[in-house]
Amino acid sequence: MADFTVVVADPEEGAAHQRAVEGQDANRFIGRSIGEEVDGSAVGLDGYTVEITGGSDTAGRPMREDVAGSALTSILVDGGTGYKPTREGERKRVTVRGREVGEETRQINASIADRGDQSVAELLDDADADDADDDE
């Protein structure tokens, strides 16, 4: 059974909330791909819907939307997720995970797609918010 850390971005508030997800809630993410929507109750946001925007595996390798499945793949890239070229025309072979959430996934990045009745701060106790305005 997989355990994940789900980082939920709140675009309206400019904050990110981090939640540990395990058990049945973690199973809601298995087999889902980047761009798919999941019921927010899996991360404590009852009445909300979150969209998977990315993630990484146990070694920190990123998930790429243009790679099918959940297995490791070595691809030649000229930019995008997993590589930022330093000069024009530069390419590099990088190892990435596919777009599907699998057993090796440890962090899932998500964004709020549909809002519920209660505020995010009320549902998540606002203790772990990572606000963009903090200068700490």
Side-chain angles (χ1 to χ4, degrees):
M1 186 165 295
D3 296 331
F4 304 116
T5 299
V6 179
V7 179
V8 180
D10 185 356
E12 286 187 12
E13 299 294 324
H17 304 274
Q18 187 170 327
R19 285 281 178 243
V21 179
E22 49 193 37
Q24 286 298 106
D25 290 334
N27 286 340
R28 294 184 193 182
F29 289 97
I30 296 288
R32 300 291 180 110
S33 296
I34 294 175
E36 287 190 40
E37 294 184 351
V38 179
D39 182 27
S41 62
V43 291
L45 293 171
D46 296 327
Y48 282 67
T49 302
V50 296
E51 178 184 351
I52 299 173
T53 58
S56 59
D57 67 1
T58 54
R61 291 178 287 249
M63 295 170 65
R64 276 187 68 112
E65 190 171 11
D66 58 348
V67 177
S70 65
L72 279 176
T73 306
S74 184
I75 58 173
L76 186 64
V77 294
D78 59 359
T81 303
Y83 177 64
K84 182 177 179 182
T86 56
R87 60 184 187 269
E88 189 174 331
E90 186 175 23
R91 299 184 306 168
K92 183 177 181 180
R93 187 164 302 280
V94 295
T95 304
V96 295
R97 286 267 169 201
R99 66 176 160 256
E100 188 175 302
V101 176
E103 293 291 327
E104 290 294 315
T105 305
R106 285 299 165 257
Q107 177 179 319
I108 298 172
N109 302 327
S111 180
I112 295 174
D114 292 323
R115 298 195 162 279
D117 297 332
Q118 291 182 289
S119 74
V120 176
E122 290 173 3
L123 292 170
L124 298 180
D125 297 327
D126 205 46
D128 62 345
D130 178 23
D131 292 326
D133 297 332
D134 286 348
D135 293 326
E136 297 179 89

